[in-house]
């Protein structure tokens, strides 16, 4: 098939690039609810992959396995040549400082100000920046890259949904991660704000040269951001390819996403 | 044959009834494991000292007024209720001793702990519950801070340390309230009243009563955190966590109180 040829070509081109993240045969069930049934994924340096799937198809479960928030039943997860599932707590925390995670609902600490929210990840990872005494420049820089410097001393309850998402994004950026995992970065936002967030994601990608895994329902977001797309259906990577390849696919289940 | 079937049915119905009892024991088991984890993480580095102080301030500050008012009213009410009976026997001069013993030994700690449970256990349950539901606890974990240490250990420890202080304060205010009644009704002077109080109070009254308030505080903090930390998803879960935190910790208080009185009875021979 044409599609697979193209992907293979792309895979060969990727061979020269560094493999940042590799998932093999990931499985996870909750009782009789088999959510992931052998999911595979490879993410190369500087690449953007969009993962689409129906609500409840296990996207959040998959992404939570990647940072050790959930333990898969079986399968392997390799992040920057380290096997995630075999790490002890200390090594896991260290690895986590290389991974940014944007939560589906922003997950800002609502008893803390924006500044304290941003400083929180620095509590345990200051050593990453040498002998750091004043965290303010880092906070400023992160807020600056999402355009919210003026919100420094506000509480999360005083922010709009879009601002919260941007602050959450700044919080994941503050440790300068190499990989960013976005769990529905535009969910619950209006189309204009969604566009802003998408633009932000692209500019961050250019500025920090991160690799990203983006989970989304938003076809517009997928079209703009993705270099490669994966459709998560029935717990496996059902279809894979560029946006245009998948859009012109004849498979019924694939077509349903682009209506 | 018939008899066996009958037995079987009995056993079955008992089994169905014990399912609830079973979930009760499962919960006790989980709570015990939670406590075990608390002690394990309590003594392992890094210590969240700053957060502990903040929680102590928060918890103490939140319940100060409540404990003060409760203590004052306990003092007034007990004195007003007891006075007529003692008057009948012409034993009003026993009032300070009687009231102080009942307040210090039992009524003060238990009632103040109950109000504390209502205020603090529900607060912790709701706070941690909503943090769980909105994935803030997950976010902490991902950013390298152990949420159990940062959220649970500090809160349980703060509740354990603050309740004894609050009870001592509440007891003192209760005694003062009692003195006010005695002063107006029986013309007893401040000095005479508190002389009598301190004459009758022994170590055997104060020490066990204070020790048990540490356990009360621990139970309240632990149950509040337990309910919140394992909160079910959804806003219903948060309400449930807050609610069951109060109910369970109040129940636990009485159990601990019973055990404490039992043990005190053996060691101090009341
Ligand atoms: N902690 C859990 N315990 C039991 N079942 C769970 C748990 N977390 C997720 N599930 C189940 O796993 C399935 C996938 O959930 P998940 O949150 O990954 O969906 P999703 O693809 O992210 O959906 P959405 O687009 O709505 O966010 C659901 O059926 C859900 O009920
Ligand atoms: Mg999800």
């Amino acid at each position: 098939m044409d599609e697979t040829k193209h992907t293979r070509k792309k895979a060969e081109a990727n061979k020269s690039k560094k493999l940042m993240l590799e998932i093999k045969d990931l499985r996870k069930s909750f009782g009789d609810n088999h959510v992931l049934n052998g999911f595979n994924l490879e993410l190369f340096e500087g690449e953007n992959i969009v993962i689409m799937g129906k609500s409840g198809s296990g996207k959040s479960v998959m992404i939570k396995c990647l940072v050790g928030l959930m333990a898969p039943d079986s399968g392997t997860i390799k992040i920057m040549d380290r096997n995630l599932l075999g790490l002890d707590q200390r090594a896991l925390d260290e690895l986590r400082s290389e991974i940014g995670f944007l939560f589906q609902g922003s997950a800002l600490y609502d008893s803390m100000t924006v500044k304290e929210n941003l400083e929180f990840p620095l509590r345990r990872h200051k050593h990453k920046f040498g002998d750091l005494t004043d965290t303010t420049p880092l906070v400023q820089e992160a807020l600056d890259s999402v355009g919210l410097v003026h919100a420094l001393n506000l509480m999360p309850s005083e922010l709009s949904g879009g601002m919260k998402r941007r602050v959450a994004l700044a919080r994941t950026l503050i440790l300068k991660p190499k990989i960013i995992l976005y769990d529905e970065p535009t969910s619950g936002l209006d189309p204009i704000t969604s566009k802003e967030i998408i633009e932000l994601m692209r500019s961050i990608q250019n500025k920090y040269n991160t690799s990203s895994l983006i989970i989304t329902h938003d076809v517009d977001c997928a079209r703009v951001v993705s270099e490669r797309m994966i459709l998560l259906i029935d717990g496996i990577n059902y279809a894979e390819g560029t946006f245009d390849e998948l859009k012109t696919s004849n498979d019924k289940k694939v077509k349903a996403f682009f209506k | 044959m018939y008899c066996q079937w009958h037995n079987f049915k009995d056993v079955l119905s008992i089994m169905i009834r014990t399912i609830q009892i079973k979930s009760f024991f499962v919960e006790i088991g989980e709570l015990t494991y939670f406590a075990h984890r608390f002690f394990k993480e309590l003594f392992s580095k890094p210590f969240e000292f700053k957060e502990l102080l903040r929680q102590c301030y928060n918890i103490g500050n939140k319940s100060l007024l409540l404990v003060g008012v409760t203590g004052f009213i306990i003092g007034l009410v007990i004195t007003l209720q007891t006075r007529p009976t003692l008057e009948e026997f012409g034993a009003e001069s026993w009032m300070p001793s009687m009231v102080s013993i009942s307040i210090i030994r039992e009524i003060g700690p238990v009632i103040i702990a109950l109000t504390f449970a209502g205020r603090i256990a529900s607060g912790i349950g709701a706070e941690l519950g909503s943090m769980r539901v909105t994935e803030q606890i997950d976010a902490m974990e991902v950013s390298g801070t152990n949420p159990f240490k940062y959220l649970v250990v500090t809160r349980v420890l703060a509740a354990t340390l603050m309740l004894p202080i609050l009870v001592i304060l509440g007891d003192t205010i209760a005694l003062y309230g009692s003195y006010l009644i005695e002063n107006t009704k029986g013309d007893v002077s401040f000095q005479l009243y508190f002389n009598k109080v301190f004459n009758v109070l022994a170590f055997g009254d104060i020490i066990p009563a204070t020790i048990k308030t540490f356990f009360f505080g621990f139970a309240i903090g632990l149950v509040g955190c337990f309910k919140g930390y394992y909160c079910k998803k959804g806003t219903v879960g948060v309400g449930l966590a807050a609610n069951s935190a109060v109910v369970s910790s109040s129940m636990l208080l009485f159990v601990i109180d019973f055990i404490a009185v039992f043990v005190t009875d053996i060691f101090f021979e009341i």
Side-chain angles (χ1 to χ4, degrees):
Chain A
M1 239 166 60
D2 198 38
E3 249 173 55
T4 47
K5 212 192 281 171
H6 189 101
T7 344
R8 205 174 299 142
K9 229 192 284 166
K10 175 121 195 177
E12 259 153 36
N14 274 333
K15 257 191 190 142
S16 54
K17 284 188 183 171
K18 201 176 150 204
L19 189 58
M20 298 299 280
L21 174 77
E22 187 183 21
I23 305 175
K24 270 199 187 136
D25 198 30
L26 196 70
R27 286 165 197 273
K28 175 84 185 169
S29 329
F30 299 97
D32 284 337
N33 183 5
H34 301 285
V35 181
L36 297 174
N37 301 309
F39 184 77
N40 297 294
L41 182 139
E42 283 177 337
L43 176 70
F44 291 92
E45 191 169 21
E47 192 184 22
N48 283 340
I49 294 185
V50 164
I51 296 176
M52 280 177 90
K54 276 195 300 195
S55 193
S57 59
K59 306 179 300 292
S60 295
V61 168
M62 186 273 294
I63 209 171
K64 276 179 187 166
C65 288
L66 296 184
V67 285
L69 282 175
M70 262 183 201
D73 298 337
S74 68
T76 54
I77 299 171
K78 259 192 185 163
I79 298 176
M80 293 185 283
D81 292 330
R82 272 172 285 182
N83 198 337
L84 183 89
L85 301 173
L87 297 177
D88 62 3
Q89 188 62 44
R90 209 195 167 112
L92 180 63
D93 279 341
E94 202 149 300
L95 187 57
R96 279 169 173 168
S97 76
E98 306 287 349
I99 309 170
F101 194 121
L102 185 69
F103 283 87
Q104 196 165 350
S106 301
L108 295 180
Y109 309 125
D110 40 31
S111 61
M112 303 180 198
T113 65
V114 167
K115 182 165 188 269
E116 287 163 339
N117 260 285
L118 293 192
E119 281 168 344
F120 200 85
L122 293 170
R123 288 162 43 89
R124 293 277 168 262
H125 294 300
K126 268 188 190 163
H127 56 86
K128 225 181 149 178
F129 302 97
D131 284 328
L132 193 67
T133 42
D134 187 15
T135 53
T136 319
L138 280 174
V139 173
Q140 292 277 2
E141 188 196 334
L143 274 183
D144 192 38
S145 46
V146 299
L148 273 180
V149 184
H150 59 278
L152 195 66
N153 292 315
L154 296 180
M155 297 300 281
S157 55
E158 297 168 302
L159 304 176
S160 72
M163 287 164 90
K164 273 186 198 158
R165 203 60 56 88
R166 285 197 276 172
V167 171
L169 194 50
R171 190 176 66 183
T172 61
L173 285 179
I174 200 155
L175 289 176
K176 307 228 162 67
K178 301 211 169 66
I179 303 172
I180 302 185
L181 312 173
Y182 297 91
D183 195 349
E184 304 198 16
T186 59
S187 74
L189 301 178
D190 65 88
I192 298 171
T193 317
S194 296
K195 271 214 185 87
E196 282 172 17
I197 298 278
I198 293 168
E199 272 314 303
L200 210 55
M201 285 161 60
R202 281 162 61 100
S203 75
I204 284 163
Q205 161 106 39
N206 290 333
K207 192 170 165 192
Y208 296 99
N209 189 31
T210 51
S211 324
S212 345
L213 206 62
I214 301 143
I215 288 176
T216 187
H217 287 297
D218 184 347
V219 178
D220 277 336
C221 175
R223 186 169 46 81
V224 178
V225 188
S226 73
E227 285 154 11
R228 200 146 60 88
M229 281 181 68
I230 294 177
L231 294 187
L232 173 56
I233 303 172
D234 301 331
I236 56 167
N237 30 346
Y238 186 82
E240 222 173 307
T242 63
F243 182 84
D244 294 322
E245 280 168 3
L246 291 182
K247 197 172 178 196
T248 51
S249 161
N250 291 322
D251 192 297
K252 230 169 55 194
K253 283 187 182 171
V254 176
K255 265 187 170 170
F257 282 92
F258 297 94
K259 267 182 193 152
Chain B
M1 197 58 207
Y2 166 80
C3 186
Q4 265 181 12
W5 169 238
H6 204 71
N7 269 344
F8 180 70
K9 251 175 40 180
D10 273 358
V11 169
L12 204 70
S13 74
I14 289 173
M15 267 169 68
I16 289 168
R17 258 180 285 148
T18 42
I19 286 173
Q20 274 227 318
I21 298 176
K22 194 181 145 206
S23 76
F24 171 76
F25 280 110
V26 166
E27 183 140 339
I28 298 266
E30 284 170 351
L31 187 64
T32 313
Y33 179 74
F34 197 73
H36 167 79
R37 188 166 168 203
F38 166 80
F39 285 111
K40 216 174 75 186
E41 307 235 1
L42 176 62
F43 296 110
S44 70
K45 279 185 184 172
F47 304 110
E48 302 283 2
F49 195 68
K50 216 168 123 189
E51 182 62 14
L52 173 65
L53 285 184
R54 211 173 66 88
Q55 288 306 326
C56 284
Y57 175 77
N58 259 352
I59 287 179
N61 196 23
K62 255 193 216 165
S63 22
L64 199 59
L65 185 68
L66 203 66
V67 166
V69 173
T70 314
F72 190 65
I73 292 175
I74 294 173
L76 295 185
V77 169
I78 290 193
T79 314
L80 281 174
Q81 297 262 32
T82 326
R83 206 159 205 293
T85 320
L86 285 189
E87 252 173 357
E88 229 171 84
F89 296 106
E92 315 81 299
S93 63
W94 280 84
M95 274 303 292
S97 336
M98 230 202 87
V99 168
S100 63
I101 282 199
S102 48
I103 285 178
I104 299 281
R105 268 194 194 164
E106 186 60 29
I107 297 171
V110 170
I111 293 193
I112 288 169
L114 281 175
T115 47
F116 188 77
R119 183 103 176 108
I120 299 304
S122 65
I124 292 177
E127 190 188 6
L128 294 196
S130 70
M131 288 186 80
R132 167 64 72 196
V133 168
T134 57
E135 298 184 314
Q136 292 176 47
I137 294 182
D138 287 340
M140 267 187 192
E141 171 124 35
V142 171
S143 63
T145 293
N146 179 345
F148 195 93
K149 250 180 170 9
Y150 188 83
L151 299 170
V152 175
V153 172
T154 53
R155 280 171 176 75
V156 176
L157 212 54
T160 313
L161 297 175
M162 292 318 283
L163 183 62
I165 298 174
L166 289 167
V167 167
I168 290 171
L169 183 86
D171 283 353
T172 314
I173 294 175
L175 288 180
Y176 186 75
S178 160
Y179 152 74
L180 284 184
I181 299 288
E182 281 299 291
N183 185 254
T184 42
K185 290 217 164 181
D187 237 0
V188 182
S189 78
F190 185 81
Q191 193 157 23
L192 181 63
Y193 183 88
F194 279 94
N195 255 341
K196 281 192 172 172
V197 167
F198 285 116
N199 271 341
V200 73
L201 283 179
F203 271 126
D205 301 312
I206 298 172
I207 301 289
T210 310
I211 291 175
K212 89 180 166 191
T213 56
F214 280 100
F215 286 96
F216 287 173
F218 176 73
I220 291 167
L222 193 76
V223 172
C225 287
F226 173 71
K227 293 288 181 184
Y229 202 74
Y230 294 118
C231 174
K232 297 264 162 8
K233 289 269 152 118
T235 34
V236 183
V238 177
L240 212 64
N243 193 314
S244 59
V246 179
V247 175
S248 305
S249 61
S250 308
M251 289 298 294
L252 198 54
L253 280 188
F254 286 112
V255 175
I256 293 174
D257 191 45
F258 172 71
I259 295 172
V261 171
F262 201 74
V263 172
T264 314
D265 188 42
I266 294 170
F267 285 102
F268 287 85
E269 291 175 23
I270 299 175

